[in-house]
Every structure is written in structure tokens, then in C-alpha cells.
Amino acid sequence: MTTRPFPRLLRRTLLAAGIALAATVAVAQTQAPVRIGYQKSSTLIAVLKAQGALERELAPLGVKLTWHEFTSGLPLLEALNLDNLDFSADVADTVPVFAQAAGAQLTFVAQEAPSPTAQAIVVRADSPLKSLGDLKGKKIGVAKGSGGHYLLLAALDKGGVPLKDVEVAYLTPADGRAAFEKGAIDAWVIWDPFLSAAQRQAGVRVLADGTGIASYQRYYLASTKFAQSRPDVLRVIYAALDKAGKWVKSNPREAAELLAPVWGLDVATVEQANARRSYEVRRVVPAGLGEQQRIADAFFAEKLLPRRVDTLQSALFQPIR
């Protein structure tokens, strides 16, 4: 009597079970939704979401999406670091610095070319404040960790006003608008499309924008775990962002008409906001992060970061081919 058929049968059974398990895992991976975080200023993601374009582009990969809106960039990247998101739509250049200081495992996927006029320090039209030096002793509203936060630091430095000589109120865009209109703050640092809405609706005057002060680049990031496991998804997202950016700049009126109901703003306001953003999507390379170190050093010098950040050493880059 021979016992050889039993081991062969066992091997075949185990092999079949292994194949079935691998197939189950593969299906589970392809069916797991990709969680995308964004904010109101995430224009290109808003376009792709409204058009359903990203879902169509990712359908061949078996990928489904879930969308999660945040009030500003800092809580968005905090969610990414806590593994509550896979991909973050664009955040201002300041935001990754705060995340890096907290030890976040994030990977840079793309950046937008500078848009310095798309954020500004504004005052009421009848305000006596005429120069950056006039901000001394005043109360200024800004979202903590936003691009506007760095604009404030750099503008005060240019105006010769120490940060300790102003009162900073950390406010979300909505709260900042309310405080500004009530006169609870003397100046407000804000970005588009909120900036354009305030200019057209609230009677504001720009005291200074980012020209010559802060270039205002915006970054798209992914959790490092997701970047390593799904580079195929990130390649599709990058291509879609690049295409959307070119479409917005080539079709300003049509883009504004698409976004106006999404943002709850009128078409003219959206068109004005979009005119100040570059929407030029680029790969992120070390040479393109020069201003990031200046931002990190400025915040550390004011004791607004818990530790000094070497922005290049703590940066990971997603190769897009």
C-alpha cells in the first residue's frame, strides 16, 4: 500500500486554498475605498469631484473613493497622519512643516507653482492702517498653520514689527470672516476663494499680499503607507490633477460656473479667485522645497514649532512616471 496520493492531494488542497486566499486579499485591496481629504480652497480636487472624473479614471483599477472636507490644511494633514485619510488635496506650504515637526509619515506627491497674490492681509476699507508697520499693537486673525500664518510672520518681519507686539487670534476662515465683519479683529490674513469673497462682499482693502514676501505654493500629499502600497493610484491622481489645472486656466468662465454652486459663491467671485492661482501641477523634487526651510526656521524662531525641522531630511517624494 502506498501513501503518496494523500500528500499530493493535501498539497493540491493547500495550493487551492492559498490561491483563493490571495484572490480574496486582492479583491479586498481593490475594493477598499481611497479616502481623499480636501478643503474649500482645493480647487482642482473640487473640479474633479464635481465632474466625477477621478472616479472614472480610477475605475479600471477597481478603486472607489470617499470624500472628506476639512476647514483648513492643518486638521487635514493631522487626519492623514492618523491614518484617517489616504490622500490630501492641496494644502499651503506652511502646513507640511507643522506635520513634519510632529513626526508625520507623509509623502509629497505634487505641488502647484507659486500663487503669491492668492493670499493677503486685509483690513476694512475705512481702516486707518496703511502699512505693515501700522499692525503694531493690533489684533490679527489667521488660521493656525495655514499659508496665511507664514505670510503674517514674513510680513511683520518686513514691516519691522516683532510678533510679540501684535495679538494673534487663531480663527478658521468662517470665524475669521465673522470676527472681521464685527470689528473684533483689526486685520485678517486669508486666502482664496475666501479672499475674493471678502473683497467683493465685505468692503475690504488689501494691506499686503504675498508678492515679494511669501510665494504660496500648495502641496498634495499621501500617507507614506498608501504611497508605498498604491503608486498606481497616485499616478492616476497626478495625471488627473495636471489635466484639471490646465482645463481651469484654459476655461476660466466654465470652471467658475462649475465651482460656484459647489462653493456657494457667485461666478464672478470664483473667476477672480481662480485668476490668482497658478494651478500648474508639478512633481515635487528636493530643489523645489527651498522656501520650506525658511518657513520652518521662521516658525521655530517664534517657538511655534516644538522642534527644529530639516525639511529635506524629513521629506519623502513620490516618483511619478
Side-chain angles (χ1 to χ4, degrees):
M1 183 177 69
T2 178
T3 58
R4 293 179 60 82
F6 179 73
R8 285 201 298 272
L9 177 60
L10 179 60
R11 286 196 296 273
R12 285 197 297 269
T13 301
L14 292 174
L15 178 60
I19 292 173
L21 177 61
T24 300
V25 170
V27 169
Q29 287 177 336
T30 57
Q31 290 181 345
V34 173
R35 303 161 297 173
I36 296 181
Y38 65 101
Q39 52 182 317
K40 194 168 187 176
S41 55
S42 300
T43 309
L44 302 187
I45 283 292
V47 167
L48 294 173
K49 184 175 183 289
Q51 294 175 333
L54 209 49
E55 284 89 348
R56 290 194 298 273
E57 294 290 338
L58 289 169
L61 298 179
V63 171
K64 296 182 179 180
L65 303 176
T66 59
W67 303 90
H68 309 270
E69 185 173 1
F70 292 78
T71 57
S72 60
L74 196 56
L76 203 169
L77 286 200
E78 287 172 350
L80 193 69
N81 185 41
L82 293 172
D83 198 31
N84 293 324
L85 294 172
D86 300 304
F87 180 81
S88 165
D90 52 314
V91 297
D93 38 22
T94 299
V95 184
V97 168
F98 275 77
Q100 288 169 313
Q105 297 298 303
L106 305 175
T107 296
F108 288 88
V109 176
Q111 70 179 172
E112 287 181 14
S115 303
T117 62
Q119 59 176 356
I121 302 172
V122 298
V123 296
R124 284 174 292 283
D126 59 355
S127 170
L129 305 182
K130 303 296 183 183
S131 70
L132 293 174
D134 293 338
L135 291 171
K136 184 174 182 179
K138 303 304 180 183
K139 187 174 184 178
I140 307 167
V142 66
K144 185 175 183 178
S146 66
H149 199 174
Y150 174 64
L151 173 60
L152 176 60
L153 296 190
L156 290 175
D157 182 66
K158 183 177 181 180
V161 180
L163 182 62
K164 64 180 178 59
D165 288 350
V166 301
E167 181 183 354
V168 178
Y170 292 128
L171 301 167
T172 66
D175 291 339
R177 172 75 180 260
F180 183 79
E181 292 183 345
K182 289 189 301 183
I185 53 178
D186 301 294
W188 182 33
V189 194
I190 193 59
W191 59 92
D192 275 319
F194 307 103
L195 172 59
S196 289
Q199 285 179 294
R200 295 179 63 84
Q201 300 166 8
V204 309
R205 173 165 49 85
V206 172
L207 189 68
D209 61 26
T211 303
I213 303 175
S215 65
Y216 191 50
Q217 298 184 88
R218 295 179 68 89
Y219 292 91
Y220 298 81
L221 301 102
S223 72
T224 297
K225 182 177 73 172
F226 183 78
Q228 292 173 342
S229 65
R230 297 308 306 262
D232 55 337
V233 172
L234 293 181
R235 282 193 292 271
V236 171
I237 293 176
Y238 181 92
L241 290 169
D242 180 51
K243 184 177 179 180
K246 291 172 180 173
W247 179 80
V248 170
K249 297 307 283 187
S250 299
N251 303 274
R253 186 70 179 184
E254 188 177 350
E257 290 172 348
L258 175 71
L259 290 167
V262 175
W263 285 349
L265 298 170
D266 64 274
V267 173
T269 296
V270 176
E271 192 166 2
Q272 176 178 307
N274 285 346
R276 291 193 286 228
R277 287 275 296 276
S278 72
Y279 298 130
E280 180 186 336
V281 178
R282 303 169 169 177
R283 293 188 304 113
V284 186
V285 295
L289 291 181
E291 191 173 24
Q292 293 299 97
Q293 192 61 55
R294 293 195 296 276
I295 292 172
D297 292 344
F299 277 98
F300 182 74
E302 296 294 348
K303 298 180 172 55
L304 294 169
L305 289 181
R307 63 182 179 88
R308 186 181 297 278
V309 175
D310 183 327
T311 55
L312 286 182
Q313 187 175 20
S314 57
L316 296 174
F317 306 95
Q318 180 65 24
I320 302 294
R321 299 183 180 89

